[in-house]
Coordinates of all heavy atoms in Angstrom, one line a residue:
M1151 N 0.8 -1.2 0.0 CA 0.0 0.0 0.0 C 0.9 1.2 0.0 O 1.9 1.3 0.7 CB -0.9 0.0 1.2 CG -1.8 1.1 1.3 SD -3.2 0.6 2.3 CE -4.2 2.1 2.2
Q1152 N 0.5 2.3 -0.7 CA 1.2 3.5 -0.8 C 0.9 4.4 0.3 O -0.3 4.6 0.6 CB 1.0 4.2 -2.2 CG 1.3 3.4 -3.4 CD 0.8 4.0 -4.6 OE1 0.2 5.1 -4.6 NE2 1.1 3.4 -5.8
K1153 N 1.9 5.0 0.9 CA 1.7 6.1 1.9 C 1.7 7.4 1.2 O 2.5 7.6 0.2 CB 2.8 6.0 2.9 CG 2.9 4.8 3.7 CD 4.1 4.8 4.6 CE 4.3 3.4 5.2 NZ 5.6 3.4 5.9
T1154 N 0.9 8.3 1.5 CA 0.9 9.6 0.9 C 1.2 10.7 1.9 O 0.7 10.7 3.0 CB -0.5 9.9 0.3 OG1 -0.8 8.9 -0.6 CG2 -0.6 11.2 -0.4
N1155 N 2.0 11.7 1.5 CA 2.3 12.8 2.4 C 2.0 14.1 1.6 O 2.5 14.3 0.5 CB 3.8 12.8 2.7 CG 4.3 13.9 3.5 OD1 3.6 14.9 3.7 ND2 5.5 13.8 4.1
N1156 N 1.1 14.9 2.0 CA 0.6 16.0 1.3 C 1.4 17.3 1.5 O 1.0 18.4 1.0 CB -0.9 16.3 1.6 CG -1.8 15.2 1.1 OD1 -1.5 14.6 0.1 ND2 -2.8 14.9 1.8
K1157 N 2.5 17.2 2.2 CA 3.4 18.4 2.4 C 3.9 18.9 1.0 O 4.3 18.1 0.2 CB 4.5 18.1 3.3 CG 4.1 17.8 4.7 CD 5.3 17.5 5.6 CE 4.8 17.2 7.0 NZ 5.9 16.8 7.9
A1158 N 3.9 20.2 0.8 CA 4.4 20.8 -0.5 C 5.9 20.8 -0.5 O 6.5 21.8 -0.3 CB 3.8 22.2 -0.6
K1159 N 6.5 19.7 -0.8 CA 7.9 19.6 -0.9 C 8.4 19.6 -2.3 O 9.6 19.8 -2.6 CB 8.4 18.3 -0.3 CG 8.2 18.1 1.2 CD 8.8 16.8 1.6 CE 8.6 16.6 3.1 NZ 9.2 15.3 3.5
Y1160 N 7.5 19.4 -3.3 CA 7.9 19.3 -4.7 C 7.5 20.4 -5.6 O 7.8 20.5 -6.7 CB 7.4 18.0 -5.2 CG 8.0 16.8 -4.5 CD1 7.5 16.3 -3.4 CD2 9.2 16.2 -5.0 CE1 8.1 15.2 -2.7 CE2 9.8 15.1 -4.4 CZ 9.2 14.6 -3.3 OH 9.8 13.5 -2.6
G1161 N 6.6 21.3 -5.1 CA 6.1 22.4 -5.9 C 5.0 21.8 -6.8 O 4.4 20.8 -6.6
R1162 N 4.9 22.5 -7.9 CA 3.9 22.1 -8.9 C 4.5 21.3 -10.0 O 5.7 21.4 -10.2 CB 3.3 23.4 -9.6 CG 2.6 24.4 -8.6 CD 1.4 23.8 -8.0 NE 0.2 24.3 -8.6 CZ -1.0 23.9 -8.2 NH1 -1.2 23.0 -7.2 NH2 -2.1 24.3 -8.8
C1163 N 3.7 20.5 -10.7 CA 4.2 19.6 -11.7 C 4.6 20.5 -12.9 O 3.9 21.4 -13.4 CB 3.0 18.7 -12.2 SG 3.5 17.6 -13.6
E1164 N 5.8 20.2 -13.4 CA 6.4 20.9 -14.5 C 5.7 20.5 -15.8 O 5.7 21.2 -16.8 CB 7.9 20.7 -14.7 CG 8.7 21.3 -13.6 CD 10.2 21.1 -13.7 OE1 10.6 20.6 -14.8 OE2 10.9 21.4 -12.8
N1165 N 5.0 19.4 -15.8 CA 4.4 18.8 -17.0 C 3.0 19.5 -17.2 O 2.7 19.9 -18.3 CB 4.2 17.3 -16.9 CG 3.8 16.7 -18.2 OD1 4.2 17.0 -19.2 ND2 2.8 15.7 -18.0
C1166 N 2.2 19.5 -16.1 CA 0.8 20.0 -16.3 C 0.4 21.1 -15.3 O -0.7 21.6 -15.4 CB -0.2 18.8 -16.2 SG -0.4 18.2 -14.5
G1167 N 1.3 21.4 -14.3 CA 0.9 22.4 -13.3 C 0.1 21.9 -12.1 O -0.3 22.6 -11.3
G1168 N -0.1 20.5 -12.1 CA -0.9 19.9 -11.0 C -0.2 19.9 -9.7 O 1.0 20.2 -9.6
V1169 N -0.9 19.5 -8.7 CA -0.3 19.4 -7.3 C 0.5 18.1 -7.2 O 0.0 17.0 -7.6 CB -1.5 19.4 -6.3 CG1 -0.9 19.1 -4.9 CG2 -2.2 20.7 -6.3
V1170 N 1.7 18.2 -6.7 CA 2.6 17.0 -6.5 C 2.6 16.7 -5.0 O 2.8 17.5 -4.2 CB 4.0 17.4 -7.0 CG1 4.9 16.2 -6.8 CG2 4.0 17.7 -8.5
V1171 N 2.3 15.4 -4.8 CA 2.3 14.9 -3.4 C 3.4 13.8 -3.3 O 3.8 13.1 -4.3 CB 1.0 14.3 -3.0 CG1 -0.1 15.4 -2.9 CG2 0.5 13.2 -3.9
E1172 N 4.0 13.6 -2.1 CA 5.0 12.6 -1.9 C 4.3 11.3 -1.6 O 3.4 11.2 -0.8 CB 5.9 13.0 -0.8 CG 7.0 12.0 -0.6 CD 8.1 12.4 0.4 OE1 8.9 13.2 0.0 OE2 8.0 12.0 1.6
K1173 N 4.8 10.2 -2.3 CA 4.4 8.8 -2.0 C 5.6 8.0 -1.8 O 6.7 8.3 -2.3 CB 3.5 8.3 -3.2 CG 2.2 9.0 -3.4 CD 1.4 8.4 -4.5 CE 0.1 9.1 -4.6 NZ -0.8 8.5 -5.6
R1174 N 5.4 6.9 -1.2 CA 6.5 5.9 -1.0 C 6.2 4.8 -2.0 O 5.2 4.1 -1.9 CB 6.5 5.3 0.4 CG 6.9 6.4 1.4 CD 8.3 6.7 1.3 NE 8.7 7.6 2.4 CZ 9.9 7.6 2.9 NH1 10.8 6.8 2.6 NH2 10.2 8.5 3.8
L1175 N 7.1 4.6 -3.0 CA 6.8 3.7 -4.1 C 8.0 2.7 -4.3 O 9.1 2.9 -3.8 CB 6.7 4.4 -5.4 CG 5.6 5.5 -5.5 CD1 5.7 6.2 -6.9 CD2 4.2 4.9 -5.3
T1176 N 7.7 1.6 -5.0 CA 8.7 0.7 -5.5 C 9.2 1.3 -6.8 O 8.4 1.6 -7.7 CB 8.2 -0.7 -5.6 OG1 7.8 -1.2 -4.3 CG2 9.2 -1.6 -6.2
V1177 N 10.5 1.4 -6.9 CA 11.1 2.1 -8.1 C 12.1 1.1 -8.7 O 13.0 0.5 -8.1 CB 11.8 3.4 -7.7 CG1 12.6 4.0 -8.9 CG2 10.8 4.4 -7.1
D1178 N 12.0 1.0 -10.1 CA 13.0 0.2 -10.8 C 13.9 1.1 -11.6 O 13.5 2.1 -12.2 CB 12.3 -0.7 -11.9 CG 11.3 -1.7 -11.3 OD1 11.6 -2.2 -10.1 OD2 10.3 -2.0 -11.9
R1179 N 15.2 0.9 -11.4 CA 16.2 1.8 -12.1 C 17.3 0.9 -12.6 O 17.7 0.0 -12.0 CB 16.8 2.8 -11.1 CG 15.9 3.6 -10.3 CD 15.5 4.9 -10.9 NE 16.7 5.7 -11.3 CZ 16.6 6.8 -12.0 NH1 15.4 7.2 -12.3 NH2 17.6 7.5 -12.4
R1180 N 17.8 1.3 -13.8 CA 19.0 0.6 -14.4 C 20.2 1.5 -14.0 O 20.3 2.6 -14.4 CB 18.8 0.5 -15.9 CG 19.8 -0.4 -16.5 CD 19.5 -0.7 -17.9 NE 18.3 -1.6 -18.1 CZ 18.3 -2.9 -17.9 NH1 19.4 -3.5 -17.6 NH2 17.2 -3.5 -18.1
I1181 N 21.1 0.9 -13.2 CA 22.3 1.6 -12.7 C 23.5 0.7 -13.0 O 23.5 -0.5 -12.6 CB 22.2 1.9 -11.2 CG1 21.0 2.8 -11.0 CG2 23.5 2.5 -10.7 CD1 20.7 3.1 -9.5
G1182 N 24.5 1.2 -13.7 CA 25.7 0.4 -14.0 C 25.4 -0.8 -14.8 O 26.0 -1.8 -14.7
G1183 N 24.4 -0.7 -15.7 CA 24.0 -1.7 -16.6 C 23.2 -2.9 -16.0 O 22.9 -3.8 -16.6
K1184 N 22.8 -2.7 -14.7 CA 22.1 -3.7 -14.0 C 20.7 -3.1 -13.6 O 20.7 -2.0 -13.2 CB 22.8 -4.2 -12.8 CG 24.1 -5.0 -13.1 CD 24.9 -5.3 -11.9 CE 24.3 -6.4 -11.1 NZ 25.1 -6.8 -9.9
L1185 N 19.7 -3.9 -13.6 CA 18.4 -3.5 -13.2 C 18.3 -3.7 -11.7 O 18.6 -4.8 -11.1 CB 17.3 -4.3 -13.9 CG 15.8 -4.0 -13.5 CD1 15.5 -2.6 -13.9 CD2 14.9 -5.0 -14.2
H1186 N 17.8 -2.7 -10.9 CA 17.7 -2.7 -9.5 C 16.3 -2.3 -9.2 O 15.7 -1.5 -9.8 CB 18.7 -1.7 -8.8 CG 20.1 -2.1 -9.0 ND1 20.8 -2.9 -8.1 CD2 20.9 -1.7 -10.0 CE1 22.0 -3.0 -8.6 NE2 22.1 -2.3 -9.7
E1187 N 15.7 -2.9 -8.1 CA 14.4 -2.5 -7.6 C 14.6 -2.0 -6.2 O 15.2 -2.7 -5.4 CB 13.5 -3.7 -7.7 CG 12.1 -3.4 -7.2 CD 11.1 -4.5 -7.4 OE1 10.6 -4.7 -8.5 OE2 10.8 -5.2 -6.4
F1188 N 14.0 -0.9 -5.9 CA 14.1 -0.3 -4.6 C 12.7 -0.1 -4.0 O 11.8 0.4 -4.7 CB 14.8 1.1 -4.7 CG 16.1 1.1 -5.3 CD1 16.3 1.3 -6.6 CD2 17.3 0.8 -4.5 CE1 17.6 1.3 -7.2 CE2 18.5 0.8 -5.1 CZ 18.7 1.0 -6.4
E1189 N 12.5 -0.5 -2.8 CA 11.2 -0.3 -2.1 C 11.1 0.9 -1.2 O 12.2 1.3 -0.7 CB 10.9 -1.6 -1.3 CG 10.8 -2.9 -2.2 CD 10.6 -4.1 -1.4 OE1 11.0 -4.2 -0.2 OE2 10.0 -5.1 -2.0
D1190 N 10.0 1.4 -1.0 CA 9.7 2.5 -0.1 C 10.5 3.8 -0.4 O 11.0 4.4 0.5 CB 10.0 2.0 1.3 CG 9.3 2.8 2.4 OD1 8.2 3.2 2.2 OD2 9.9 3.0 3.5
V1191 N 10.6 4.1 -1.6 CA 11.3 5.3 -2.1 C 10.4 6.5 -2.1 O 9.3 6.5 -2.6 CB 11.9 5.1 -3.5 CG1 12.7 6.3 -4.0 CG2 12.8 3.8 -3.5
P1192 N 10.9 7.6 -1.5 CA 10.0 8.9 -1.5 C 10.1 9.5 -2.9 O 11.2 9.8 -3.4 CB 10.7 9.8 -0.4 CG 12.1 9.3 -0.3 CD 12.1 7.8 -0.7
V1193 N 8.9 9.6 -3.5 CA 8.8 10.1 -4.9 C 7.7 11.1 -4.9 O 6.6 10.9 -4.4 CB 8.5 9.0 -5.9 CG1 8.4 9.5 -7.3 CG2 9.6 7.9 -5.8
G1194 N 7.9 12.3 -5.6 CA 6.8 13.2 -5.8 C 6.0 12.7 -7.0 O 6.6 12.4 -8.0
V1195 N 4.7 12.7 -6.8 CA 3.8 12.2 -7.9 C 2.7 13.2 -8.1 O 2.0 13.6 -7.2 CB 3.2 10.8 -7.6 CG1 2.3 10.4 -8.7 CG2 4.2 9.8 -7.3
C1196 N 2.5 13.7 -9.4 CA 1.5 14.6 -9.7 C 0.1 13.9 -9.6 O -0.1 12.9 -10.2 CB 1.7 15.1 -11.1 SG 0.3 16.3 -11.7
R1197 N -0.8 14.6 -8.9 CA -2.2 14.1 -8.8 C -2.9 14.0 -10.1 O -3.9 13.3 -10.2 CB -3.0 14.9 -7.8 CG -2.6 14.7 -6.3 CD -3.5 15.5 -5.5 NE -3.2 15.3 -4.1 CZ -3.7 16.1 -3.1 NH1 -4.5 17.1 -3.4 NH2 -3.4 15.8 -1.8
D1198 N -2.6 14.9 -11.0 CA -3.3 15.0 -12.2 C -2.8 14.1 -13.3 O -3.6 13.4 -14.0 CB -3.4 16.5 -12.7 CG -4.1 17.4 -11.8 OD1 -5.0 16.9 -11.1 OD2 -3.7 18.6 -11.7
C1199 N -1.5 14.2 -13.6 CA -1.0 13.5 -14.8 C -0.1 12.3 -14.4 O 0.3 11.5 -15.3 CB -0.2 14.4 -15.7 SG 1.4 14.9 -15.0
G1200 N 0.2 12.1 -13.1 CA 1.0 11.0 -12.7 C 2.5 11.1 -12.9 O 3.3 10.2 -12.6
Q1201 N 3.0 12.3 -13.4 CA 4.4 12.5 -13.5 C 5.2 12.3 -12.2 O 4.7 12.7 -11.2 CB 4.6 14.0 -14.0 CG 6.1 14.4 -14.1 CD 6.7 13.9 -15.4 OE1 6.1 13.5 -16.4 NE2 8.0 13.8 -15.4
R1202 N 6.3 11.6 -12.3 CA 7.1 11.4 -11.1 C 8.2 12.3 -11.0 O 8.9 12.6 -12.0 CB 7.6 9.9 -11.1 CG 6.6 8.9 -10.9 CD 7.2 7.5 -10.8 NE 6.2 6.5 -10.6 CZ 6.5 5.3 -10.3 NH1 7.7 4.8 -10.2 NH2 5.5 4.4 -10.0
I1203 N 8.5 12.8 -9.8 CA 9.6 13.8 -9.6 C 10.5 13.2 -8.5 O 10.1 12.9 -7.4 CB 9.1 15.1 -9.1 CG1 8.2 15.7 -10.2 CG2 10.3 16.1 -8.8 CD1 7.4 16.9 -9.8
Y1204 N 11.8 13.0 -8.8 CA 12.8 12.5 -7.9 C 13.7 13.6 -7.4 O 14.2 14.3 -8.3 CB 13.6 11.4 -8.6 CG 12.8 10.2 -9.0 CD1 12.2 10.2 -10.3 CD2 12.6 9.1 -8.2 CE1 11.5 9.1 -10.7 CE2 11.9 8.0 -8.6 CZ 11.3 8.0 -9.9 OH 10.6 6.9 -10.3
K1205 N 13.9 13.7 -6.2 CA 14.9 14.7 -5.6 C 16.3 14.2 -5.8 O 16.5 12.9 -5.7 CB 14.6 15.0 -4.2 CG 13.3 15.7 -4.0 CD 13.2 16.2 -2.6 CE 12.0 17.2 -2.6 NZ 12.2 18.3 -1.7
G1206 N 17.2 15.1 -6.1 CA 18.6 14.7 -6.3 C 19.2 13.8 -5.2 O 19.8 12.8 -5.5
P1207 N 19.1 14.1 -3.9 CA 19.6 13.3 -2.9 C 19.1 11.9 -2.9 O 19.8 10.9 -2.6 CB 19.3 14.0 -1.6 CG 19.1 15.5 -2.0 CD 18.6 15.4 -3.4
V1208 N 17.8 11.7 -3.3 CA 17.2 10.4 -3.3 C 17.8 9.6 -4.5 O 18.2 8.4 -4.3 CB 15.7 10.5 -3.6 CG1 15.1 9.1 -3.9 CG2 15.0 11.1 -2.3
L1209 N 18.0 10.2 -5.6 CA 18.7 9.5 -6.8 C 20.1 9.1 -6.4 O 20.6 8.0 -6.8 CB 18.6 10.4 -8.0 CG 17.2 10.6 -8.6 CD1 17.3 11.6 -9.8 CD2 16.6 9.3 -9.1
E1210 N 20.8 10.0 -5.7 CA 22.2 9.8 -5.3 C 22.2 8.6 -4.4 O 23.1 7.7 -4.5 CB 22.8 11.0 -4.7 CG 23.1 12.1 -5.7 CD 23.4 13.4 -5.0 OE1 23.4 13.5 -3.8 OE2 23.6 14.4 -5.8
Q1211 N 21.3 8.5 -3.4 CA 21.3 7.4 -2.5 C 20.9 6.1 -3.2 O 21.5 5.1 -2.9 CB 20.3 7.7 -1.4 CG 20.3 6.5 -0.3 CD 19.4 6.8 0.9 OE1 19.1 8.0 1.1 NE2 19.1 5.8 1.6
L1212 N 20.0 6.1 -4.1 CA 19.7 4.9 -4.9 C 20.9 4.4 -5.6 O 21.2 3.2 -5.6 CB 18.6 5.2 -5.9 CG 17.2 5.5 -5.3 CD1 16.2 5.7 -6.4 CD2 16.7 4.4 -4.4
E1213 N 21.7 5.3 -6.2 CA 22.9 4.9 -6.9 C 24.0 4.3 -6.0 O 24.6 3.3 -6.3 CB 23.5 6.1 -7.7 CG 24.7 5.6 -8.6 CD 25.1 6.6 -9.6 OE1 24.3 7.5 -10.0 OE2 26.2 6.5 -10.1
R1214 N 24.1 4.9 -4.8 CA 25.1 4.4 -3.8 C 24.6 3.0 -3.4 O 25.5 2.1 -3.3 CB 25.2 5.3 -2.6 CG 26.0 6.5 -2.8 CD 26.4 7.2 -1.5 NE 25.2 7.7 -0.8 CZ 24.5 8.8 -1.0 NH1 24.9 9.6 -1.9 NH2 23.5 9.1 -0.2
M1215 N 23.3 2.8 -3.1 CA 22.8 1.5 -2.7 C 23.1 0.5 -3.7 O 23.5 -0.6 -3.4 CB 21.3 1.7 -2.3 CG 21.0 2.4 -1.1 SD 19.3 2.8 -0.9 CE 18.7 1.1 -0.6
A1216 N 22.8 0.8 -5.0 CA 23.0 -0.1 -6.1 C 24.4 -0.5 -6.3 O 24.8 -1.7 -6.5 CB 22.5 0.5 -7.4
R1217 N 25.3 0.4 -6.1 CA 26.8 0.1 -6.3 C 27.3 -0.7 -5.1 O 28.2 -1.5 -5.3 CB 27.5 1.4 -6.6 CG 27.1 2.1 -7.9 CD 28.1 3.0 -8.4 NE 27.7 3.7 -9.6 CZ 27.6 3.2 -10.8 NH1 27.9 2.0 -11.1 NH2 27.1 3.9 -11.8
S1218 N 26.9 -0.4 -3.9 CA 27.4 -1.1 -2.8 C 26.8 -2.5 -2.6 O 27.4 -3.4 -2.0 CB 27.2 -0.3 -1.5 OG 25.9 -0.3 -1.1
E1219 N 25.5 -2.6 -3.0 CA 24.7 -3.9 -2.8 C 24.8 -4.4 -1.4 O 24.6 -5.6 -1.1 CB 25.2 -4.9 -3.8 CG 25.0 -4.6 -5.2 CD 25.3 -5.7 -6.2 OE1 25.6 -6.8 -5.8 OE2 25.2 -5.4 -7.4
T1220 N 24.9 -3.5 -0.4 CA 24.9 -3.9 1.0 C 23.5 -4.1 1.6 O 23.3 -4.8 2.6 CB 25.7 -2.9 1.9 OG1 25.1 -1.6 1.7 CG2 27.1 -2.9 1.5
N1221 N 22.5 -3.4 1.0 CA 21.2 -3.5 1.5 C 20.3 -4.4 0.7 O 19.0 -4.2 0.8 CB 20.6 -2.0 1.6 CG 21.2 -1.2 2.6 OD1 21.7 -1.6 3.6 ND2 21.3 0.1 2.3
V1222 N 20.8 -5.3 0.0 CA 20.0 -6.2 -0.9 C 19.2 -7.1 0.0 O 19.7 -7.8 0.8 CB 20.9 -7.0 -1.8 CG1 20.0 -8.0 -2.6 CG2 21.6 -6.1 -2.8
K1223 N 17.9 -7.0 -0.1 CA 16.9 -7.7 0.7 C 16.6 -9.1 0.0 O 16.4 -10.1 0.7 CB 15.6 -6.9 0.9 CG 14.6 -7.5 1.8 CD 13.5 -6.5 2.1 CE 12.4 -6.7 1.1 NZ 11.2 -6.0 1.4
K1224 N 16.5 -9.1 -1.3 CA 16.3 -10.3 -2.0 C 16.7 -10.1 -3.5 O 16.9 -9.0 -3.9 CB 14.8 -10.7 -1.9 CG 13.8 -9.6 -2.6 CD 12.4 -10.0 -2.4 CE 11.5 -8.8 -2.9 NZ 10.1 -9.1 -2.7
T1225 N 16.7 -11.2 -4.2 CA 17.1 -11.2 -5.6 C 15.9 -11.9 -6.3 O 15.4 -12.9 -5.9 CB 18.4 -11.9 -5.9 OG1 19.4 -11.3 -5.1 CG2 18.7 -11.9 -7.3
I1226 N 15.5 -11.3 -7.4 CA 14.4 -11.8 -8.2 C 14.9 -12.1 -9.6 O 15.8 -11.4 -10.1 CB 13.2 -10.9 -8.2 CG1 13.5 -9.5 -8.8 CG2 12.6 -10.8 -6.9 CD1 12.3 -8.6 -9.0
Q1227 N 14.3 -13.0 -10.3 CA 14.6 -13.2 -11.7 C 13.5 -12.5 -12.6 O 12.3 -12.5 -12.2 CB 14.5 -14.7 -12.1 CG 15.7 -15.4 -11.5 CD 15.7 -16.9 -11.9 OE1 14.7 -17.4 -12.3 NE2 16.8 -17.5 -11.7
V1228 N 14.0 -11.9 -13.7 CA 13.1 -11.1 -14.5 C 13.1 -11.7 -15.9 O 14.2 -11.7 -16.5 CB 13.4 -9.6 -14.6 CG1 12.5 -8.9 -15.5 CG2 13.4 -9.1 -13.2
P1229 N 12.0 -12.2 -16.5 CA 12.0 -12.7 -17.9 C 12.3 -11.5 -18.9 O 11.8 -10.4 -18.7 CB 10.7 -13.3 -18.1 CG 9.8 -12.9 -16.9 CD 10.7 -12.3 -15.9
V1230 N 13.1 -11.7 -19.9 CA 13.4 -10.7 -20.9 C 13.0 -11.3 -22.2 O 13.4 -12.4 -22.6 CB 14.9 -10.4 -20.9 CG1 15.2 -9.3 -21.9 CG2 15.3 -9.9 -19.5
S1231 N 12.2 -10.5 -23.0 CA 11.8 -10.9 -24.3 C 12.2 -9.8 -25.3 O 12.1 -8.6 -25.0 CB 10.3 -11.1 -24.4 OG 9.9 -12.1 -23.5
R1232 N 12.5 -10.2 -26.5 CA 12.7 -9.2 -27.6 C 11.4 -9.0 -28.4 O 10.8 -10.0 -28.8 CB 13.8 -9.7 -28.5 CG 14.1 -8.7 -29.6 CD 15.3 -9.1 -30.5 NE 16.5 -9.3 -29.7 CZ 17.4 -8.3 -29.5 NH1 17.1 -7.1 -29.9 NH2 18.5 -8.5 -28.8
F1233 N 11.1 -7.7 -28.6 CA 9.8 -7.4 -29.3 C 10.0 -7.8 -30.8 O 11.0 -7.5 -31.4 CB 9.5 -5.9 -29.2 CG 8.3 -5.5 -29.9 CD1 7.1 -5.7 -29.3 CD2 8.4 -4.9 -31.1 CE1 5.9 -5.3 -30.0 CE2 7.3 -4.5 -31.8 CZ 6.0 -4.7 -31.2
K1234 N 9.0 -8.4 -31.3 CA 9.0 -8.8 -32.7 C 7.9 -8.0 -33.4 O 6.8 -7.7 -32.9 CB 8.7 -10.3 -32.9 CG 9.8 -11.2 -32.4 CD 9.5 -12.6 -32.7 CE 10.6 -13.5 -32.2 NZ 10.4 -14.9 -32.5
R1235 N 8.2 -7.6 -34.6 CA 7.2 -6.8 -35.4 C 6.0 -7.6 -35.7 O 6.0 -8.8 -35.9 CB 7.8 -6.4 -36.8 CG 8.6 -5.2 -36.7 CD 8.8 -4.7 -38.1 NE 9.5 -3.5 -38.1 CZ 10.4 -3.1 -39.0 NH1 10.6 -3.8 -40.1 NH2 11.0 -1.9 -38.8
A1236 N 4.9 -6.9 -35.6 CA 3.6 -7.5 -36.0 C 3.6 -7.8 -37.5 O 4.1 -7.0 -38.3 CB 2.4 -6.6 -35.6
V1237 N 3.0 -8.9 -37.8 CA 2.9 -9.3 -39.3 C 1.8 -8.6 -40.0 O 0.8 -8.3 -39.5 CB 2.7 -10.8 -39.4 CG1 2.7 -11.2 -40.8 CG2 3.9 -11.5 -38.7

């Protein structure tokens, strides 16, 4: 379940001008050529268009965590498929 924080930490959405609220989300990021999944990440999300806004310190911490791999809680396998043109 997502937690919502209505404090105005992110300002207005640059995409549509909507109100941005902080939520705690699961975020997938490719860092150093590897796919990483992070849980409970504070992210600004526009109520109107869904645009996500990440603060610099949060992105920096995600990169540090991915490179150190000290906080790895679990490892999952992800199926990968190559898209084929429709006939």
Side-chain angles (χ1 to χ4, degrees):
M1151 182 157 181
Q1152 299 172 358
K1153 298 175 192 171
T1154 303
N1155 181 346
N1156 292 329
K1157 294 180 182 174
K1159 294 182 179 181
Y1160 296 87
R1162 302 295 258 178
C1163 176
E1164 292 180 9
N1165 190 44
C1166 73
V1169 174
V1170 177
V1171 295
E1172 183 173 280
K1173 294 184 178 185
R1174 296 287 184 147
L1175 304 176
T1176 297
V1177 175
D1178 298 327
R1179 307 268 311 168
R1180 191 168 292 280
I1181 299 173
K1184 294 171 74 177
L1185 180 62
H1186 296 268
E1187 183 173 281
F1188 303 93
E1189 297 176 336
D1190 202 34
V1191 178
V1193 180
V1195 180
C1196 177
R1197 286 184 178 170
D1198 295 331
C1199 73
Q1201 176 77 22
R1202 290 184 177 191
I1203 300 169
Y1204 298 88
K1205 292 194 169 214
V1208 170
L1209 292 174
E1210 290 168 0
Q1211 182 173 343
L1212 294 179
E1213 185 163 342
R1214 281 193 304 274
M1215 289 171 65
R1217 296 203 185 281
S1218 73
E1219 295 187 5
T1220 56
N1221 293 327
V1222 174
K1223 187 170 92 174
K1224 63 184 174 183
T1225 301
I1226 59 174
Q1227 291 183 340
V1228 179
V1230 178
S1231 302
R1232 182 176 298 274
F1233 180 79
K1234 293 185 179 181
R1235 273 196 178 149
V1237 179

